[in-house]
Amino acid sequence: MDRNAILDFQDHLLQWFWANRRTMPWREVPSPYRIWISEVMLQQTRVETVIPYFQRFLAKYPTVADLAQSDEEELLKQWEGLGYYSRARNLRHAAQEILERFQGEVPQTFEELRTLKGIGEYTAGAVASMAFGQRVPAVDGNVYRVMARVTGCREDIAQGKTQKLLKAETLNVLPDHHVGDFNQALMELGATVCIPKGVPKCGQCPVKDHCEAFRETLQEEIPVKGKAKERRQEERTVLILEQAGRYAVRRREEPGILHGLYELPNVSGYYSKEEIQAMLAEKGMTALAMTALPEQKIVFSHLEWHLEGYQVKLKEEGGGYRFASLQEIRESFSVASAFQGYLTLLENEENALKAEGGETCR
DNA sequence: AAGCCGGGGAA
DNA sequence: TTCCCAGGCTT
């Protein structure tokens, strides 16, 4: 694009954004802290998913200092279900760093922001431009797609060199004023018009006159993406160990997936009742009764768990596990969603039992 | 550059 | 089912 085209592109995109921007809590009442938190929550996570978490989070941790002083387990409980739990740990760590190194104020430049845990190139650009007006790009998945179409890029956008090129193109069209709004406009366009799935709504696009893909009718061919790698498959057996209405849980250890979160006991591989009984006996536990549970499949981005399970009535607590009532588990422990299916099963069972109790009393 | 790290909505 | 989401960190 030449100079005049760029100015026209900027103008049309900004005008479109100001007329069509969606309402978001961190947009209506912005502050550097709120923008930072929202941007971290929005990493690989949809806006609609984030909003309720954001509201709860800000109510509980209204300032950098509150976050810095937070209890990690409580923080993870707040984060439960949002995924990518390192984000929460990094947020807390960064808050402590902001107190120590930046006098409690969110740093105002891309370079300083970039030194904080959990803030990479995208998030540093987003906070620097939106909160402080620094002229830096904020290139997320939306912007890669939009810019690939605008420039007619036929290369695989998953490749590093393609991304480098598209970041340079983005910087090239970045205005001197309203950078924050411009960056948000590119993302908003990608989320609502220049969409990733289905047919992009080019009829509604404010910059289609400057779009190479539209000019060549390649908007459904671009961006180019290589197909994803297959997920690793894992077979595991989950155990619901119950004793007097209390159930065994344990905290997942570092390193590895879901570390720091709670889970039901589980082991690698599939086993028969007898084998499970022997394993329990080895850890000094006696099974009084055992029933098989339905199979479940849990899909992560790079991994699949195929779960079998047994519900075991124990003679007494043991095995080094923590035992807690369902209510306590729900209220106090951050449990990975992979195990929520089995917890719900237990809940239904308890409710059915209560209902049955009601029947017999009648 | 590639692998790891979650969970959910939508087609 | 698959794709992808206002990505970052580690190896």
Side-chain angles (χ1 to χ4, degrees):
Chain A
M1 278 193 266
D2 61 32
R3 186 67 198 152
N4 281 330
I6 289 176
L7 289 175
D8 194 65
F9 182 93
Q10 294 169 345
D11 189 47
H12 278 87
L13 187 57
L14 279 170
Q15 294 299 337
W16 171 84
F17 178 64
W18 290 328
N20 294 281
R21 66 198 275 281
R22 293 174 291 175
T23 297
M24 303 172 195
W26 49 91
R27 276 186 181 167
E28 304 318 301
V29 187
S31 78
Y33 177 65
R34 290 166 63 91
I35 290 172
W36 168 41
I37 301 299
S38 71
E39 285 302 335
V40 172
M41 285 188 170
L42 286 162
Q43 290 168 7
Q44 297 294 291
T45 313
R46 287 184 170 67
V47 170
E48 312 82 68
T49 307
V50 164
I51 289 175
Y53 280 91
F54 177 83
Q55 304 281 37
R56 255 197 315 161
F57 192 98
L58 263 290
K60 192 165 175 71
Y61 310 113
T63 69
V64 174
D66 294 317
L67 179 55
Q69 292 154 16
S70 64
D71 173 73
E72 186 183 306
E73 279 216 39
E74 249 177 77
L75 184 64
L76 284 174
K77 185 64 188 170
Q78 290 282 312
W79 208 269
E80 182 179 24
L82 201 52
Y84 288 128
Y85 298 90
S86 299
R87 293 185 293 176
R89 279 186 288 271
N90 289 339
L91 224 35
R92 178 166 167 275
H93 187 274
Q96 294 170 349
E97 260 187 286
I98 291 176
L99 280 193
E100 292 165 16
R101 293 167 42 209
F102 300 102
Q103 295 74 49
E105 300 292 326
V106 176
Q108 306 196 6
T109 66
F110 175 90
E111 290 74 17
E112 289 173 321
L113 286 161
R114 195 61 192 72
T115 68
L116 296 171
K117 268 227 163 60
I119 299 192
E121 195 171 339
Y122 162 75
T123 306
V127 176
S129 64
M130 295 176 201
F132 303 111
Q134 187 180 355
R135 186 176 175 279
V136 285
V139 184
D140 71 338
N142 287 308
V143 179
Y144 283 126
R145 181 176 57 259
V146 169
M147 292 308 293
R149 283 176 174 155
V150 166
T151 62
C153 173
R154 275 123 163 129
E155 309 298 310
D156 181 355
I157 65 166
Q159 295 291 309
K161 62 174 184 179
T162 310
Q163 297 187 349
K164 190 174 172 186
L165 210 69
L166 291 171
K167 279 185 276 193
E169 296 281 5
T170 308
L171 179 60
N172 189 42
V173 298
L174 215 58
D176 295 319
H177 302 295
H178 306 297
V179 249
D181 280 355
F182 184 85
N183 281 334
Q184 292 183 72
L186 277 176
M187 294 188 270
E188 192 96 341
L189 189 72
T192 62
V193 175
C194 197
I195 51 181
K197 285 185 168 184
V199 184
K201 304 168 183 174
C202 299
Q204 302 173 28
C205 181
V207 293
K208 60 173 175 293
D209 291 351
H210 301 290
C211 182
E212 188 61 21
F214 180 68
R215 195 180 71 77
E216 303 182 66
T217 325
L218 290 174
Q219 60 269 34
E220 291 184 61
E221 270 56 58
I222 295 175
V224 175
K225 280 200 79 172
K227 65 171 187 289
K229 250 197 65 178
E230 280 192 26
R231 282 184 283 264
R232 185 172 83 244
Q233 308 288 317
E234 275 186 28
E235 300 178 338
R236 305 194 68 82
T237 302
V238 175
L239 300 177
I240 296 179
L241 306 179
E242 183 253 331
Q243 208 285 319
R246 292 156 64 80
Y247 301 91
V249 293
R250 66 180 175 193
R251 198 168 184 213
R252 291 180 65 89
E253 286 173 10
E254 206 169 351
I257 193 169
L258 301 170
H259 74 256
L261 276 70
Y262 283 84
E263 66 175 357
L264 297 170
N266 62 94
V267 290
S268 178
Y270 289 156
Y271 300 92
S272 67
K273 278 188 185 179
E274 291 71 26
E275 287 171 320
I276 293 294
Q277 199 149 20
M279 289 171 61
L280 291 171
E282 219 166 290
K283 299 182 86 173
M285 291 178 281
T286 308
L288 299 178
M290 197 180 302
T291 58
L293 294 167
E295 298 175 23
Q296 296 208 9
K297 187 173 78 166
I298 311 298
V299 182
F300 302 100
S301 40
H302 62 292
L303 169 69
E304 278 184 33
W305 278 353
H306 299 266
L307 304 179
E308 293 189 351
Y310 296 98
Q311 184 162 358
V312 182
K313 200 167 191 56
L314 289 180
K315 191 173 175 189
E316 54 220 1
E317 296 184 4
Y321 297 117
R322 290 183 70 157
F323 282 76
S325 68
L326 270 185
Q327 186 186 355
E328 194 181 343
I329 293 172
R330 283 267 186 247
E331 288 174 0
S332 306
F333 299 112
S334 183
V335 179
S337 80
F339 300 93
Q340 298 286 349
Y342 286 124
L343 285 184
T344 303
L345 214 67
L346 284 178
E347 226 157 39
N348 294 339
E349 194 177 289
E350 279 196 1
N351 290 336
L353 239 75
K354 275 182 208 155
E356 196 180 310
E359 291 291 311
T360 54
C361 286
R362 193 161 48 150

